[in-house]
Amino acid sequence: MEQGLEVALTDLQSSWNNVRHHTEEISSDRLLVRRGQAFNITLYFRKRGFQPGLDNIIFVAETGPLPDLSNGTRALFSLAGHHGPSPWIASLETNGASSLEVSLCAPPTAAVGRYLLKVHIDCFQKSVTAYQLGEFILLFNPWCPGDSVYLDSEPQRQEYVVNDYGFIYQGNKNWIRPCPWNYGQFEENIIDICLELLDKSLNFQIDPATDCALRGSPVYISRVVCAMINSNDDNGVLNGNWSESYLDGINPAEWTGSVAILKQWHATGCQPVRYGQCWVFAAIMCTVMRCLGIPTRVITNFDSGHDTDGNLIIDEYYDSTGRILENKKKDSVWNFHVWNECWMARKDLPPGYGGWQVLDATPQETSNGLYCCGPASVRAIKEGEVDLNYDTAFAFSMVNADCMSWLVYGGKEQKIHRDTNTVGNFISTKSIQSDERDDVTENYKYIEGSPQERLVFMRALQKLKARRSEGPHKADSQHSPPVPLNGDSPRSLHMPSLRPSDIVQVSLKFQLLDPPNMGQDIRFVLLALNMSLQFKDLKVNLSAQSLLHDGSPLPPFWQDTAFITLSPEEAKTHSCRIPYSQYSQYLSTDKLIRISALGEEKNSPEKILVDKIITLAYPGIMINVLGAAIVNQPLSIQVLFSNPLSEHVADCVLTVEGSGLFKKQQRVLIGVLKPQHRASITLETVPFKTGQRQIQANLRSNKFKDIKGYKNVYVDLRL
């Protein structure tokens, strides 16, 4: 009597498959494959080999707690090649005496996640024996043309999926600073934490079967992840904090990578990590999305609008000294704001709106009841198609809202001017396979002031007005109703308001005399220029105040008044100095100082407002690699740092990390640093991955939080 076919052993060929599926950096002993691409496994049998025609082998792949054929979370597919109930494919590779190598392939639309692979063997059509073959993880596949995240450029795939480090741009539009970041999407346990994050979402908690069935859609996955990065609705990864009080957590400026944050979230039973701000939210989202296989990059928008009432106008209020006031409406212009772009097809939108999509995990406004934003098509933003899903109107306002300035005095409000150019500048991301900055502003908007740009603005405004008239009433700002295209002329906060004759009479401008280095006095001049043929008597109130990067003002700490008489066509300067001893105690972590001047002419109601935002700079950390970097060989790394201040600083802590170089973040307690003192330490490590790597370092103290440095290192296989 013929014996039944019994599976003795299964080889998932993890190491070989993972290389072919670009997941070898995650693991070599766990199977991680991408949908739409075949992978091979070998079945070893106990007593006899596979006999075609006699043995029928049916594979079963299941994901989620309630796998079901009808919703795609359970797949049945036969080796015999019969058309089965699932689009999964099994084909014979080699048939040995007691082994069988088969090729399996998930469709490019399959749900991503953790799968259990089983086999049912039907011998002589008499008995069916079932075996569990093992687990594997299925990911999105930007290398597969049939996948909705397909990206047809290998350099872009390497940058936006494979690269595990990068730069996040900070500062202000006049001083753009790259902040090094360790995304670490392939580090140990990160893939498991990313899948855990999906399972902790409200969608999964409410309806796990439907949630798992929808995990084949990058649009759906991106919204779930976006909501889970912040903790406003759930036990998400990060608590946001813009209060400047971080005693019960970590100052957002101190983080240098995502790995420590994600591992802390996991280790504490998914309790939100304290604290994050926009660049940390975006960096964590980049890590998760790249890990899942969705091409993702981090975007910084300088002078980013936050329009709370949806009228595409940011109202800013100033007092008679020129200082910016707290905004009751909570409209604001963030010095910079950071979000993500993820690459995906948008079959839910009209043709042409796929490609890069904005996703913003910073909790600002709700979307369908949850704190998430996007995906919003970048092309839709550029064209003003603000009625397309998701949250395109809010994303449009971040890059293209107008700014209305109001003078508040005696309980009244006077409009100074309307500026169409302030919001959305130098939109930046890391270049492909380069440490340079790539400006992507033209992807988001037409050239400021061009007819196309104003036409798009009016299109967006009309769509928003139509939507408000159809839905629940949401009133426009009482001070800033939409104006026709031929209304207020484009104006800059750095230029005076225009007179009715549209002739500029007097201009004011700030000019720094020295680079604004931390620990030094700030020296600058106010340049006043009379462009008319009449004498001008000006009274100018000057002030300085610290800002948070989200635009929130802190109280002024310096004020001055200048009386300037200008002859026809004359220019004069007024010199100013703000001592370090005066500004040091008022600085926020963001190191932003806003200097402003409000000028008024004698016997004239005209007001002239000018401001300048200064970001104070620290000297960076220097990192030297001592000797050649060889995988699995000891490596010495020298870190040089200094106290830039003319006073003692205490509680100094140096953190150093780097994916593939350090198993975990290195933390060195330095203690006290004397004034202007330079120091160095040498760290020992053993690189465990080859290729291009980056070391990130941060020095914090009781006086500063984010002196940073980085060093690129290439790790060779051998000498």
Side-chain angles (χ1 to χ4, degrees):
M1 182 177 176
E2 190 71 42
Q3 294 177 317
L5 189 63
E6 299 180 21
V7 177
L9 186 67
T10 306
D11 180 5
L12 296 180
Q13 300 189 33
S14 299
S15 180
W16 187 75
N17 283 317
N18 289 3
V19 170
R20 294 171 65 231
H21 286 252
H22 310 280
T23 61
E24 72 277 11
E25 288 255 329
I26 302 177
S27 177
S28 60
D29 53 16
R30 300 169 63 192
L31 182 60
L32 299 109
V33 294
R34 300 187 185 276
R35 60 189 196 171
Q37 182 177 343
F39 60 97
N40 288 10
I41 67 170
T42 304
L43 305 180
Y44 293 94
F45 303 112
R46 185 165 279 116
K47 296 176 182 177
R48 66 171 179 86
F50 170 71
Q51 297 180 25
L54 293 177
D55 303 318
N56 183 24
I57 295 182
I58 299 172
F59 290 95
V60 182
E62 298 176 338
T63 187
L66 300 165
D68 183 75
L69 270 175
S70 63
N71 64 20
T73 52
R74 186 170 194 258
L76 293 174
F77 49 110
S78 171
L79 184 59
H82 303 307
H83 183 69
S86 302
W88 291 59
I89 298 170
S91 57
L92 179 63
E93 290 290 308
T94 58
N95 185 8
S98 60
S99 66
L100 183 71
E101 184 174 14
V102 296
S103 172
L104 309 179
C105 186
T109 56
V112 301
R114 186 175 281 107
Y115 277 78
L116 180 62
L117 183 63
K118 304 175 184 178
V119 66
H120 294 172
I121 300 177
D122 182 359
C123 299
F124 318 114
Q125 300 179 346
K126 292 182 178 180
S127 62
V128 177
T129 309
Y131 298 91
Q132 285 197 10
L133 303 183
E135 285 190 353
F136 67 94
I137 292 173
L138 188 67
L139 301 173
F140 289 100
N141 192 354
W143 284 267
C144 173
D147 197 309
S148 52
V149 302
Y150 174 63
L151 193 55
D152 64 359
S153 162
E154 181 60 20
Q156 289 190 47
R157 291 191 292 253
Q158 289 297 317
E159 181 66 50
Y160 301 134
V161 180
V162 177
N163 196 3
D164 61 5
Y165 66 86
F167 299 101
I168 302 172
Y169 294 95
Q170 300 179 351
N172 66 68
K173 66 183 177 186
N174 300 312
W175 187 77
I176 297 175
R177 176 177 73 113
C179 173
W181 195 272
N182 176 26
Y183 296 119
Q185 68 267 31
F186 302 135
E187 290 297 282
E188 187 178 15
N189 296 331
I190 294 300
I191 180 62
D192 300 295
I193 296 172
C194 292
L195 296 179
E196 181 180 28
L197 182 146
L198 297 181
D199 289 348
K200 293 295 181 182
S201 73
L202 291 179
N203 300 47
F204 183 86
Q205 300 296 321
I206 294 168
D207 187 352
T210 301
D211 175 73
C212 289
L214 292 171
R215 290 184 184 180
S217 163
V219 173
Y220 177 79
I221 284 279
S222 64
R223 283 183 65 78
V224 169
V225 172
C226 190
M228 278 300 296
I229 299 301
N230 66 69
S231 60
N232 286 44
D233 311 294
D234 41 47
N235 280 340
V237 176
L238 273 170
N239 268 342
N241 187 340
W242 289 265
S243 72
E244 289 291 290
S245 176
Y246 309 109
L247 294 176
D248 57 346
I250 301 293
N251 187 312
E254 295 180 34
W255 298 112
T256 52
S258 306
V259 177
I261 295 171
L262 286 167
K263 289 190 172 182
Q264 180 179 328
W265 178 74
H266 167 74
T268 57
C270 304
Q271 293 300 306
V273 176
R274 300 170 178 168
Y275 287 105
Q277 290 182 9
C278 65
W279 68 93
V280 191
F281 289 110
I284 299 294
M285 181 143 187
C286 183
T287 296
V288 175
M289 299 300 271
R290 286 186 183 181
C291 187
L292 295 175
I294 299 177
T296 303
R297 59 188 186 182
V298 176
I299 302 289
T300 300
N301 178 36
F302 292 94
D303 298 329
S304 188
H306 184 177
D307 173 28
T308 58
D309 54 7
N311 66 348
L312 300 184
I313 292 177
I314 310 293
D315 292 302
E316 293 190 322
Y317 299 90
Y318 299 82
D319 71 5
S320 59
T321 68
R323 74 179 177 112
I324 195 167
L325 302 174
E326 190 74 42
N327 193 319
K328 299 173 190 173
K329 281 175 44 191
K330 300 302 180 183
D331 276 7
S332 60
V333 177
W334 295 34
N335 206 51
F336 68 89
H337 182 51
V338 185
W339 60 71
N340 298 99
E341 285 179 3
C342 297
W343 182 272
M344 64 189 73
R346 290 298 301 270
K347 296 173 184 175
D348 58 318
L349 299 182
Y353 292 102
W356 289 117
Q357 311 289 315
V358 166
L359 285 138
D360 189 351
T362 300
Q364 299 180 82
E365 304 291 331
T366 58
S367 172
N368 292 342
L370 294 177
Y371 277 94
C372 69
C373 178
S377 165
V378 172
R379 184 177 171 232
I381 295 167
K382 183 171 183 175
E383 300 299 336
E385 301 293 348
V386 295
D387 52 342
L388 296 182
N389 284 340
Y390 290 90
D391 310 305
T392 307
F394 187 77
F396 181 91
S397 73
M398 292 196 292
V399 300
N400 222 359
D402 284 359
C403 197
M404 192 81 78
S405 300
W406 300 86
L407 177 64
V408 180
Y409 64 99
K412 297 181 180 179
E413 297 170 2
Q414 174 190 344
K415 185 171 77 171
I416 304 176
H417 55 233
R418 177 171 179 157
D419 181 355
T420 67
N421 301 323
T422 291
V423 170
N425 293 293
F426 299 102
I427 304 175
S428 303
T429 192
K430 178 185 177 297
S431 293
I432 298 169
Q433 297 181 328
S434 161
D435 287 353
E436 298 303 310
R437 183 181 68 88
D438 191 11
D439 192 304
V440 296
T441 307
E442 66 176 11
N443 294 353
Y444 282 85
K445 57 202 296 191
Y446 291 99
I447 295 172
E448 285 287 2
S450 68
Q452 281 177 306
E453 186 267 338
R454 284 289 91 186
L455 188 65
V456 165
F457 182 89
M458 294 309 298
R459 177 189 301 145
L461 198 56
Q462 288 163 3
K463 286 178 178 285
L464 287 174
K465 288 176 70 176
R467 190 169 72 180
R468 280 201 296 269
S469 66
E470 293 168 4
H473 178 67
K474 190 174 184 180
D476 288 343
S477 165
Q478 58 178 331
H479 302 299
S480 48
V483 296
L485 196 57
N486 60 357
D488 291 338
S489 303
R491 298 160 189 176
S492 166
L493 282 174
H494 294 272
M495 296 295 293
S497 61
L498 304 185
R499 298 173 183 275
S501 62
D502 282 351
I503 298 174
V504 176
Q505 300 281 309
V506 178
S507 75
L508 298 176
K509 183 179 180 180
F510 283 118
Q511 183 175 342
L512 287 172
L513 298 178
D514 307 301
N517 292 321
M518 178 64 74
Q520 299 177 6
D521 295 352
I522 301 171
R523 298 193 313 127
F524 60 96
V525 296
L526 176 69
L527 175 65
L529 174 62
N530 180 7
M531 290 171 279
S532 74
L533 298 177
Q534 291 84 36
F535 283 88
K536 298 291 180 182
D537 287 320
L538 297 180
K539 176 186 177 183
V540 184
N541 292 321
L542 299 101
S543 67
Q545 62 193 127
S546 287
L547 291 180
L548 307 184
H549 95 271
D550 67 356
S552 301
L554 299 179
F557 55 80
W558 174 87
Q559 291 181 321
D560 189 17
T561 302
F563 296 92
I564 304 172
T565 300
L566 294 170
S567 301
E569 299 182 331
E570 182 185 17
K572 282 185 178 179
T573 60
H574 175 72
S575 298
C576 303
R577 178 192 295 265
I578 305 177
Y580 169 70
S581 59
Q582 187 167 0
Y583 72 74
S584 61
Q585 58 188 311
Y586 296 99
L587 272 184
S588 70
T589 303
D590 302 296
K591 305 179 295 297
L592 297 172
I593 292 178
R594 180 185 174 278
I595 53 175
S596 61
L598 185 68
E600 52 185 317
E601 293 180 36
K602 189 176 181 181
N603 302 320
S604 170
E606 292 295 319
K607 302 290 189 295
I608 309 165
L609 176 67
V610 63
D611 71 355
K612 188 177 187 67
I613 293 177
I614 300 168
T615 304
L616 293 157
Y618 289 117
I621 294 173
M622 295 290 295
I623 302 173
N624 297 319
V625 177
L626 308 179
I630 310 297
V631 70
N632 297 324
Q633 297 294 318
L635 179 67
S636 296
I637 296 168
Q638 183 188 44
V639 184
L640 298 98
F641 51 92
S642 63
N643 172 12
L645 306 181
S646 300
E647 57 183 315
H648 285 81
V649 295
D651 305 324
C652 296
V653 178
L654 178 73
T655 55
V656 181
E657 64 180 292
S659 287
L661 298 169
F662 299 94
K663 288 287 187 182
K664 64 178 182 178
Q665 187 184 71
Q666 305 296 297
R667 186 180 175 88
V668 183
L669 302 179
I670 305 297
V672 176
L673 282 175
K674 296 178 181 178
Q676 307 289 329
H677 180 67
R678 296 180 61 85
S680 73
I681 64 165
T682 301
L683 301 173
E684 303 291 333
T685 190
V686 178
F688 54 94
K689 291 184 179 179
T690 58
Q692 191 68 46
R693 304 290 160 191
Q694 189 184 80
I695 303 168
Q696 300 90 8
N698 184 76
L699 179 67
R700 74 151 207 223
S701 74
N702 63 333
K703 296 289 184 180
F704 49 76
K705 301 300 177 186
D706 61 339
I707 295 183
K708 296 190 184 293
Y710 74 95
K711 180 75 172 181
N712 292 341
V713 183
Y714 190 85
V715 180
D716 281 308
L717 191 59
R718 60 180 66 87
L719 279 172

